[in-house]
Structures are given as C-alpha cells and as structure tokens.
Amino acid sequence: MHLAHVALWTADLDAAAAFWQRYFNAAVGPSYRSARRPGFVSRFITLPDGGAEIELMTAPWLAGAGSADRIGWDHIAISLGSAAEVDALAERCAAAGALVSPPRRTGDGFYEAVIAMPDGTRIEITT
C-alpha cells in the first residue's frame, strides 16, 4: 500500500501545471477530459526523482453555488495493489456508511472507489 497521488482543484489548469513545472521541475502529463463529467479536465504532474504525483483538476462548476468542489486540495489517493482489495475495502466502507462512490473503471483507465472519513474528507482507493 502506498500514496498514489494527491488532488488539487484549480481555476487555471495550464497556469497550475506551468507553476509546478517551473518551480519544482515537475513533468507534466497530457490533459484528460472526462466523458462522464463533461467539463472536467485534469493533468497529472510528477515531481522529479521518483517523487509524488499531483492530479491538477478543473471544471466549470468550481465557481458555482452549491458545488461540493472548491479550489484547493481535494483528496489523497491510496493504492491498495489490486482490484480485489479495492472491492473488499469499498464493501467494508459501504457497510459502515463511508462509501462515497463505488468501484469503477474511469475513462483514463484507473480502477477506483471513493470513501470518506467521518468529517467528509475524501480518500480515493485505487489499484
């Protein structure tokens, strides 16, 4: 088990990617546009020397009233190692009322589920 990435909402995806590249020498990956959530766009950046990944995310609803998504840090992602482990933990969390989003394959190829701590802080569990 290891930390897979942290996620950050931003109003300007290109400016955020350029910031991390300029000041931290991060490698910037290609843009991903979600078919399931129209308007959602993300890019992964990777810090040098085997460093962590940061998922930069943007969407038009960030400024909207009533949106749970806000500019700033959004979640951490924990890699459990296999789809079976994701399914098992998701099932345990569902029974406890802590499952936010059931396991699924995302458009960019990840197998993930989302759970929440008692205060609502989201944790993405992935393979």
Side-chain angles (χ1 to χ4, degrees), residues 32-86:
Y32 161 72
R33 297 180 186 285
S34 175
R36 186 177 70 86
R37 294 179 78 189
F40 174 89
V41 183
S42 70
R43 295 180 88 167
F44 276 90
I45 63 163
T46 305
L47 298 176
D49 302 323
E53 284 191 313
I54 300 172
E55 180 182 16
L56 302 174
M57 309 178 303
T58 194
W61 56 82
L62 283 178
S67 174
D69 300 323
R70 301 273 185 254
I71 292 174
W73 298 106
D74 181 70
H75 68 266
I76 64 168
I78 306 282
S79 175
L80 301 181
S82 72
E85 291 182 65
V86 170

